[in-house]
Amino acid sequence: MLRFLDSIPYPMLIIAALFLLLAPFRPMPHVLEKLTMLKEGILRKPIDIFDLCFHLLPTILLVLKVIRDKTK
């Protein structure tokens, strides 16, 4: 898995992370909506949990790649 993470270029990860964090642009980004639902304790549907994970995946990969590069 770490070789896979090393093979992903930073620009592609940054663009994907920004796009999925902000999508859809109106009326409210899904990540913000799902995190609000999580805070309120109403994030229970499997599709909502999957949606949150899907929108956060590029950001999580970007953070892991930065941490991996800093520890090399």
Side-chain angles (χ1 to χ4, degrees):
M1 180 182 151
L2 296 179
R3 274 188 256 148
F4 169 72
L5 193 58
D6 291 338
S7 70
I8 304 173
Y10 272 107
M12 189 170 83
L13 265 179
I14 292 169
I15 290 169
L18 286 174
F19 182 75
L20 283 177
L21 280 175
L22 298 174
F25 303 104
R26 293 186 186 191
M28 176 189 291
H30 275 314
V31 171
L32 185 59
E33 179 183 359
K34 301 304 178 191
L35 289 175
T36 303
M37 289 171 67
L38 183 65
K39 186 182 103 181
E40 294 171 356
I42 57 174
L43 186 72
R44 293 196 178 106
K45 292 181 186 175
I47 191 71
D48 290 334
I49 296 168
F50 171 78
D51 195 34
L52 177 63
C53 293
F54 174 74
H55 282 273
L56 288 177
L57 182 64
T59 304
I60 293 168
L61 289 175
L62 181 61
V63 168
L64 290 175
K65 185 171 176 78
V66 168
I67 292 171
R68 177 159 166 76
D69 286 349
K70 293 289 183 187
T71 59
K72 279 186 178 179

